[in-house]
Amino acid sequence: MNNPFETIKYYLDKNQMTPEEKRRMKTILVSYVTSHPVKSGLLSPYTFRYASLALASLVLVLGGSIGVTSASYQSLPNSKLYPIKIWIEEYQAKGQKTPEAVIAFETKRIETRFKEATRLAVNQQLDTTSSAVIQAGIEHSRTAIKDIAERIQNENPELALSAASTLETTFSSNGRILASIEQNTNQNIGPIVLAAQVTTKKLATEKTKFEQIVALKADDTTKISAAKRLAEVTTLLESIPVPMLTSEPVITTGTDSPDLLTASSSKELVPVLATAAKIEVPEYEKTPREKAVILIEDAQVKMTAGLYSEALVILEKAGQILDEITLTKSLEKTYQVDVTATEKAQLLLLQSTTPRE
């Protein structure tokens, strides 16, 4: 076995390795890597050949015996161990056999890439090169999910729609977090923020075809799925608190109720809102949670009418809104940022610098 990868294959085919075998494999690995350095570098970590995957296979088998695997898991694009991390991920990706498994694995990889970007951004180390490397990884996984979704859209459009919705949530929330960090730290963190925003819009457009397919399914085939999704979304809604009013809202109604017009605090306003016959709130002034509530109520009406397929699509939209609220809040807590405050500040700045006619 003069070819080191024949040796690797031989030991991978065995169930166990003795300490001596691991020592020998470590020697082979170090020798080969020293004489055959990776030439592609960080800018193309997703260009794999058989040798690269074999190396990743070896690292997985040896595990802690060479001290590389665990260290590579925490590595960032500016680390020499980062290619090993990507190699291992790609090897693991080859082992995902079902559409559900592929979607879940690649979605997790996208979350990991955004986490890497945010860690670097917080430390003001997310330069253009690192941003481009991470963006390449994100697109690599997004393409894999898109290919799977399009392949299964006729046989399992619900899964395709769910995958697209989850991705849109992931890109939107993480993009907003990175944009807030960029704004708050006054740094330019490369193309990843703009790319996240553009991809979010693309995903919103792409998933409409999955929505159409689901909506056209026979209602008797989606009745159980719709009921299950309603229960999931309702539970998620209950876990998200109703935002407290922090200022006196301006309310427009079809009546001239003095009580409604003279409410001077949120405490006084609550019972008034509960008894008001009709309160018109413009769509753009509704909170995300309020929009989700409206969608859920609409879905329930559809289900009562027996339109379960249409209801399932509506519930997916509501679930996505609630998922984004939850994810964004979690990321805000992790990275100590306030996305809403940052976005409001940016809007005010834009309004103050826009010439008035």
Side-chain angles (χ1 to χ4, degrees):
M1 295 186 187
N2 294 325
N3 186 326
F5 296 107
E6 291 181 0
T7 307
I8 291 172
K9 184 178 183 303
Y10 169 75
Y11 281 110
L12 285 175
D13 290 338
K14 299 183 66 174
N15 292 328
Q16 294 182 343
M17 296 178 66
T18 66
E20 175 59 26
E21 288 172 337
K22 288 188 177 183
R23 184 199 63 76
R24 185 185 173 204
M25 293 309 305
K26 176 182 177 181
T27 301
I28 294 173
L29 174 63
V30 173
S31 174
Y32 187 84
V33 172
T34 301
S35 58
H36 300 77
V38 179
K39 296 180 180 180
S40 59
L42 289 178
L43 289 179
S44 56
Y46 294 88
T47 302
F48 293 96
R49 296 191 299 271
Y50 171 76
S52 299
L53 291 178
L55 176 60
S57 305
L58 175 60
V59 172
L60 284 172
V61 169
L62 294 181
S65 65
I66 59 173
V68 173
T69 307
S70 58
S72 70
Y73 286 154
Q74 298 300 320
S75 64
L76 297 173
N78 56 4
S79 166
K80 293 181 179 180
L81 287 177
Y82 193 71
I84 299 293
K85 178 180 182 176
I86 300 303
W87 285 340
I88 293 173
E89 286 184 3
E90 196 67 4
Y91 174 77
Q92 293 171 329
K94 302 297 181 183
Q96 311 305 315
K97 302 303 182 184
T98 65
E100 292 87 350
V102 173
I103 290 171
F105 185 81
E106 295 298 342
T107 300
K108 186 65 177 178
R109 291 180 80 180
I110 291 175
E111 293 171 356
T112 299
R113 299 290 84 84
F114 274 120
K115 183 177 180 180
E116 292 165 354
T118 310
R119 286 174 59 191
L120 287 172
V122 168
N123 294 324
Q124 300 197 29
Q125 295 176 340
L126 185 58
D127 55 23
T128 301
T129 300
S130 294
S131 181
V133 171
I134 293 173
Q135 184 58 32
I138 289 173
E139 285 303 313
H140 177 78
S141 293
R142 188 178 89 86
T143 299
I145 296 173
K146 182 179 179 181
D147 291 344
I148 286 288
E150 291 180 347
R151 189 190 313 164
I152 65 171
Q153 61 180 323
N154 292 322
E155 62 186 69
N156 194 349
E158 294 93 337
L159 178 59
L161 175 57
S162 176
S165 296
T166 299
L167 276 189
E168 187 179 347
T169 296
T170 301
F171 275 86
S172 179
S173 291
N174 283 280
R176 294 171 68 195
I177 292 293
L178 284 168
S180 295
I181 294 174
E182 182 178 45
Q183 177 72 16
N184 295 341
T185 58
N186 194 29
Q187 61 176 315
N188 182 4
I189 59 179
I192 193 168
V193 171
L194 178 60
Q197 295 169 344
V198 171
T199 303
T200 299
K201 294 180 180 179
K202 285 183 178 179
L203 287 165
T205 300
E206 290 173 2
K207 75 176 185 181
T208 56
K209 63 181 178 182
F210 304 138
E211 292 175 340
Q212 292 171 355
I213 297 174
V214 173
L216 291 174
K217 290 190 69 173
D219 291 308
D220 59 343
T221 65
T222 56
K223 182 177 181 178
I224 296 176
S225 297
K228 179 181 177 182
R229 191 59 176 142
L230 175 60
E232 293 172 346
V233 173
T234 302
T235 299
L236 183 56
L237 176 67
E238 292 171 351
S239 69
I240 300 174
V242 179
M244 294 295 295
L245 295 174
T246 56
S247 60
E248 297 178 19
V250 177
I251 302 172
T252 303
T253 70
T255 63
D256 295 325
S257 169
D259 291 334
L260 188 59
L261 297 175
T262 58
S264 59
S265 70
S266 60
K267 290 183 178 180
E268 295 174 354
L269 186 61
V270 171
V272 175
L273 289 177
T275 58
K278 182 178 179 182
I279 300 178
E280 298 294 340
V281 180
E283 182 66 23
Y284 65 86
E285 289 185 4
K286 292 185 175 71
T287 66
R289 190 183 188 282
E290 289 171 338
K291 293 177 182 179
V293 169
I294 293 172
L295 287 171
I296 294 172
E297 292 173 348
D298 188 15
Q300 290 174 319
V301 171
K302 296 286 187 182
M303 292 175 69
T304 300
L307 303 175
Y308 297 104
S309 295
E310 291 183 30
L312 187 56
V313 172
I314 296 171
L315 288 169
E316 192 61 44
K317 293 179 180 180
Q320 182 182 335
I321 292 174
L322 297 174
D323 283 338
E324 183 168 345
I325 294 173
T326 303
L327 177 57
T328 302
K329 289 298 181 183
S330 175
L331 293 172
E332 285 179 325
K333 183 177 180 180
T334 299
Y335 298 108
Q336 298 297 301
V337 295
D338 187 334
V339 169
T340 302
T342 302
E343 291 174 345
K344 285 182 178 179
Q346 288 178 312
L347 180 60
L348 289 174
L349 178 62
L350 179 63
Q351 290 175 340
S352 65
T353 56
T354 301
R356 297 182 179 179
E357 296 181 359

